[in-house]
Amino acid sequence: PSQTLQVYGAPVPDQQGCILVLHDISRLMKLEQVRRDFVANVSHELKTPITAIKGYIEALQDGALEEQERARRFLEIASAHTNRLELIVEDLLSLARLEAQEGQNLEKQPANLFELLDQTRQACQYLAEEKQIQVLLEGPQDLICPVNSAILEQAFINLLDNALKYSEPGTEVRIKLSQEGEFARVDVIDQGRGIPARDLDRIFERFYRVDKGRSRAAGGTGLGLSIVKHVVSLHNGQVQVESREGVGSTFTVLLPL
Ligand code: ADP
């Protein structure tokens, strides 16, 4: 009943019968709706910082420039919004690049996953120290897996970055590497605020955030997990999440060995 059919058919006058061609366009319509929502979301996400930057520049032009302290504060805020714009655009470009690779063979090289995860840990060291969160890495140091290291590291950075962003100072984050049959398994386990059960299905969608204000304040773009989903799917792997509010979250990535 939810399908939409386009029907072409015309009786052919000097012959018997007619030709009926049925196209199921419900999938196309859904894709078109997803595309339209995406464009609307992108525009909205970009508009927010642009409006703020414009406002502060106008305030400076209208006189705030004369008051050194106010001017300095306004420039700092405008600069923070510019950084935010940059992050959004970078994430959008990453997503576009990943989507362009879909259906093509991903370039992979055997890589030591422990080393790759250690690099991820180092890349997030600054935030970990700032939040006084200890990041532990455990597991076999000789597990080799065919991966595209550059894009896989981006996915692990996003997971670790989230674990740190959504946890309180003094808590712990564990990155656990193991082998599960034909798969390498990576668990990123935090003791953070967790994700409500009703949101779990949707957090991998582009721009979906449990709490927009908190995500923005923490420097989130709402695109991190959809990048993770694409990267893992390009590796023919899987990503899952388990979470309990107030207890913590575990994101699990499975990669074929
Ligand atoms: P963001 O840039 O907002 O972090 P993501 O796509 O990375 O976007 O994540 C989507 C949403 O999922 C986040 O806004 C947050 O609400 C939730 N989330 C992701 N990871 C965690 C986590 N480790 N703990 C709690 N909530 C999380």
Side-chain angles (χ1 to χ4, degrees):
S2 66
Q3 290 194 338
T4 312
L5 292 175
Q6 246 178 12
V7 180
Y8 303 105
V12 185
D14 53 349
Q15 287 177 20
Q16 301 215 326
C18 69
I19 299 166
L20 194 62
V21 184
L22 301 176
H23 284 281
D24 178 358
I25 60 162
S26 51
R27 208 179 92 83
L28 280 180
M29 282 175 70
K30 195 155 176 249
L31 282 178
E32 179 56 22
Q33 184 60 43
V34 170
R35 195 193 62 79
R36 255 189 258 142
D37 289 350
F38 180 59
V39 172
N41 279 334
V42 170
S43 314
H44 178 75
E45 295 291 332
L46 295 178
K47 210 165 168 229
T48 313
I50 289 173
T51 308
I53 294 167
K54 222 174 130 199
Y56 285 104
I57 291 178
E58 276 168 17
L60 287 166
Q61 286 170 329
D62 289 348
L65 203 53
E66 312 304 324
E67 301 165 48
Q68 218 183 5
E69 186 47 36
R70 249 178 107 209
R72 200 182 54 77
R73 202 156 37 86
F74 284 8
L75 282 171
E76 263 170 21
I77 302 173
S79 165
H81 283 290
T82 314
N83 291 339
R84 191 170 160 68
L85 267 183
E86 196 180 17
L87 281 182
I88 298 173
V89 172
E90 271 170 13
D91 276 357
L92 283 170
L93 284 173
S94 298
L95 259 184
R97 270 190 234 112
L98 292 169
E99 279 176 350
Q101 294 221 32
E102 246 159 52
Q104 293 178 22
N105 239 348
L106 183 70
E107 206 178 291
K108 291 185 222 149
Q109 299 278 342
N112 180 314
L113 285 185
F114 191 91
E115 281 171 16
L116 193 132
L117 290 168
D118 197 32
Q119 279 164 25
T120 306
R121 184 162 66 148
Q122 282 167 32
C124 296
Q125 190 59 26
Y126 175 76
L127 182 57
E129 273 173 23
E130 196 182 69
K131 290 203 72 174
Q132 296 168 340
I133 294 176
Q134 209 186 351
V135 181
L136 306 167
L137 170 59
E138 57 194 70
Q141 300 195 6
D142 55 359
L143 193 56
I144 306 290
C145 188
V147 299
N148 184 310
S149 299
I151 69 165
L152 189 62
E153 195 182 336
Q154 184 58 57
F156 286 136
I157 286 179
N158 289 357
L159 290 179
L160 184 54
D161 187 65
N162 279 348
L164 295 167
K165 270 191 322 203
Y166 301 113
S167 291
E168 296 304 317
T171 56
E172 213 175 74
V173 171
R174 268 169 67 212
I175 308 174
K176 206 170 116 199
L177 172 64
S178 57
Q179 183 172 347
E180 198 175 277
E182 309 277 280
F183 292 89
R185 176 181 173 135
V186 179
D187 295 293
V188 179
I189 307 159
D190 68 52
Q191 303 169 334
R193 71 171 60 114
I195 302 160
R198 63 176 179 277
D199 295 300
L200 275 179
D201 274 356
R202 302 202 56 193
I203 53 170
F204 289 93
E205 289 174 19
R206 294 180 288 197
F207 292 121
Y208 190 84
R209 284 167 284 202
V210 177
D211 180 334
K212 261 196 176 168
R214 273 196 178 155
S215 154
R216 283 215 183 107
T221 62
L223 294 170
L225 286 180
S226 45
I227 291 177
V228 171
K229 196 177 84 179
H230 272 84
V231 169
V232 173
S233 124
L234 282 174
H235 283 86
N236 301 315
Q238 285 174 41
V239 55
Q240 299 151 9
V241 56
E242 257 183 59
S243 187
R244 270 182 62 201
E245 266 188 287
V247 178
S249 311
T250 299
F251 283 82
T252 303
V253 173
L254 295 172
L255 299 166
L257 281 166

